Amino acid sequence: MKVVIIIPTYNEKGNIEKLIASLEEEIFPQIKNHEMSILVADDNSPDGTAKEVTKLKKKFINLHLSSGERKGLGAAYIRAMDYAIKKLSADAMFEMDADLSHDPKRVPVFLKKFDGGFDMVVGTRYSEGGSIPPNWPFKRKMFSVVGNLLVRTILMRFGIHDWTGGFRVLKKDVFLKEKPELTNFKGYTFQVSFLHKAARDGFKIGEVPINFTDRTLGRSKIAPREYIIDLLTYVIVARIKEILFGKFGKFLIVGGTGFIINAVVLRVLVEWYKWNPSYANLAGAALAIFSNFNFNNLWTFRHRRIKSLGLYFWKMLHFYATSSFGVVFIQTGTIFVLSQILGKQGYFIYFLIGTFFLLIWNFTIYNRFIWKEKPL
Ligand code: GDD
Ligand code: MN
């Protein structure tokens, strides 16, 4: 594979030379099964980082430079990844800081894991063997640890321990797939949003422990306030979208149409055909459940669609049974129990609470039972 190590730089004159020398002279000779090169993504650093790189290019033929305007870390990565794929025919790309916080010795470790069949391997400071600098002040440690915990919790993805880090390797396909969606967060939030989208789309992601060390030269470019606000905005909005437009959102929409069908049938049968309202409601509910089952099968759970006819009827039977159980015991049961304890006057609130429990029950049963990953 052609592997390009992308190093974004903004005023890293003193650091970049050491990092390039270490990669080229110590690390690359150890890597036999990949064709390694380096691409520095510099944003016209006023300290002359680019000039330094141009000088080094004479010595190392596999060293490249992409210069551009400063638009943030994410924007620099997007520009550089495009460059690596188009101009350097990269198959895979590393993200790596220029300030020696990321130990070049870990590069072969990343590649070994990557070769084991991953689409992306991320360096982690927060699980077995990884670490943040022990000399960081308490506040900085807190930010880092709590920030990552918050991201994992809000996104409800606990398998990945380090979301904000910037030492990673990924296949070009991951970038090409996610690129159209990477436009809004061009600063440091790029790291979280990119990883989140890759995880969402089912790319296989692995972790490698890293020991992050403090830079000794130059200054960090992070603006903590802006970064925290950007990061929280991203994870909260992304999660809400995931819920609304994901399976649960579709499930709610399907349930809503079922409710309308139920109500319309009830009214039509009672008003026009003079049915007894109880029977009319049973008919309406039966039709609503039928429609829910099919809509869920064709839309909400379409990636686990029930295809064989025998299974279809068998599952529909289950669906009717569990839906009835939910209405009778969970929704009505909640109303019954709460009225006993708190009195009948709050019945509509109990109905809403019961309906909430019913939704959870149904969604769980559909996921775990009716449309579970492997058919019975
Ligand atoms: N081209 C370019 N443009 N490079 C940039 C820019 C930019 O606007 N901003 C930062 N960089 C480069 C730096 O020169 C450095 O090589 C790397 O990106 C990381 O920037 P630092 O300023 O050293 O960031 P940090 O050490 O505070 O942040 C680290 O932790 C973050 C949070 O966990 C990095 O590993 C980040 O990638 C990570 O998101
Ligand atoms: Mn740094």
Side-chain angles (χ1 to χ4, degrees):
M1 262 200 293
K2 280 198 171 172
V3 181
V4 176
I5 300 192
I6 298 174
I7 308 169
T9 53
Y10 194 75
N11 290 344
E12 302 288 0
K13 193 177 169 196
N15 293 314
I16 191 69
E17 190 185 353
K18 284 187 204 138
L19 178 59
I20 290 172
S22 162
L23 285 169
E24 294 277 3
E25 286 161 357
E26 275 177 70
I27 308 301
F28 290 175
Q30 298 171 24
I31 302 167
K32 311 283 183 212
N33 56 337
H34 296 295
E35 196 181 313
M36 306 298 297
S37 52
I38 300 175
L39 171 61
V40 175
D42 184 63
D43 291 355
N44 300 328
S45 303
D47 74 344
T49 303
K51 226 187 268 164
E52 190 85 25
V53 176
T54 310
K55 234 193 285 165
L56 290 165
K57 273 173 65 172
K58 294 194 187 106
K59 192 168 167 196
F60 305 111
I61 50 159
N62 57 349
L63 173 62
H64 307 270
L65 172 68
S66 149
S67 290
E69 246 176 79
R70 189 174 187 198
K71 292 181 191 151
L73 180 63
Y77 266 125
I78 294 171
R79 186 185 79 222
M81 288 185 181
D82 265 332
Y83 185 106
I85 294 170
K86 284 193 195 123
K87 304 218 169 120
L88 309 175
S89 336
D91 301 303
M93 296 163 289
F94 265 89
E95 291 176 27
M96 188 174 185
D97 291 354
D99 56 1
L100 301 163
S101 285
H102 295 153
D103 183 358
K105 289 195 184 69
R106 297 307 279 169
V107 167
V109 183
F110 272 81
L111 284 173
K112 201 168 165 224
K113 179 112 191 175
F114 195 53
D115 290 339
F118 289 91
D119 297 308
M120 187 166 187
V121 174
V122 301
T124 172
R125 297 163 289 181
Y126 307 106
S127 50
E128 201 110 5
S131 64
I132 50 177
N135 61 317
W136 268 4
F138 179 71
K139 209 171 135 189
R140 176 114 192 245
K141 282 184 183 159
M142 273 278 292
F143 266 132
S144 187
V145 174
V146 174
N148 264 284
L149 210 61
L150 212 61
V151 172
R152 287 166 71 198
T153 317
I154 296 176
L155 294 179
M156 291 292 278
R157 289 177 188 273
F158 297 98
I160 298 168
H161 298 83
D162 193 339
W163 285 86
T164 52
F167 198 3
R168 304 168 169 179
V169 60
L170 52 113
K171 286 188 184 154
K172 75 167 183 203
D173 304 354
V174 183
F175 173 69
L176 291 175
K177 170 99 197 333
E178 310 308 349
K179 190 189 157 193
E181 283 187 79
L182 294 178
T183 43
N184 286 333
F185 293 91
K186 293 203 163 146
Y188 283 74
T189 304
F190 165 79
Q191 313 282 24
V192 173
S193 62
F194 190 12
L195 184 55
H196 177 228
K197 290 172 203 309
R200 172 202 67 190
D201 290 338
F203 285 111
K204 202 169 165 213
I205 299 168
E207 288 188 319
V208 155
I210 57 166
N211 304 103
F212 189 92
T213 51
D214 248 342
R215 64 159 76 229
T216 49
L217 266 181
R219 276 193 307 133
S220 164
K221 281 92 208 172
I222 261 183
R225 260 183 89 88
E226 193 190 310
Y227 180 43
I228 292 169
I229 293 171
D230 234 32
L231 186 69
L232 282 179
T233 310
Y234 174 78
V235 289
I236 292 170
V237 171
R239 187 71 191 126
I240 291 174
K241 276 194 197 156
E242 229 169 41
I243 293 172
L244 288 183
F245 300 117
K247 260 189 319 185
F248 190 69
K250 290 177 179 169
F251 158 85
L252 287 182
I253 292 172
V254 170
T257 61
F259 175 79
I260 294 169
I261 291 173
N262 192 346
V264 169
V265 171
L266 171 70
R267 283 198 74 103
V268 166
L269 290 180
V270 173
E271 305 291 326
W272 296 0
Y273 297 95
K274 308 295 170 208
W275 277 40
N276 175 320
S278 308
Y279 295 133
N281 188 51
L282 274 183
L287 200 65
I289 293 175
F290 180 78
S291 136
N292 284 359
F293 179 73
N294 285 294
F295 270 131
N296 277 322
N297 194 38
L298 294 174
W299 190 44
T300 319
F301 297 97
R302 69 166 179 272
H303 56 292
R304 302 183 212 157
R305 196 162 66 221
I306 302 159
K307 287 175 188 140
S308 90
L309 200 64
L311 203 60
Y312 174 84
F313 284 113
W314 179 238
K315 290 284 191 179
M316 184 142 69
L317 199 71
H318 280 165
F319 193 84
Y320 269 100
T322 54
S323 302
S324 316
F325 179 92
V327 170
V328 174
F329 290 96
I330 297 184
Q331 189 188 34
T332 315
T334 306
I335 300 176
F336 178 78
V337 170
L338 290 179
S339 330
Q340 295 295 313
I341 304 171
L342 303 167
K344 286 198 182 76
Q345 64 282 13
Y347 79 94
F348 199 72
I349 307 274
Y350 313 153
F351 161 75
L352 294 179
I353 297 172
T355 305
F356 177 74
F357 289 149
L358 176 67
L359 290 177
I360 307 276
W361 158 261
N362 280 343
F363 190 65
T364 312
I365 290 289
Y366 298 174
N367 263 303
R368 298 261 165 91
F369 191 51
I370 313 257
W371 285 279
K372 79 173 193 180
E373 287 294 351
K374 286 189 195 90
L376 293 171

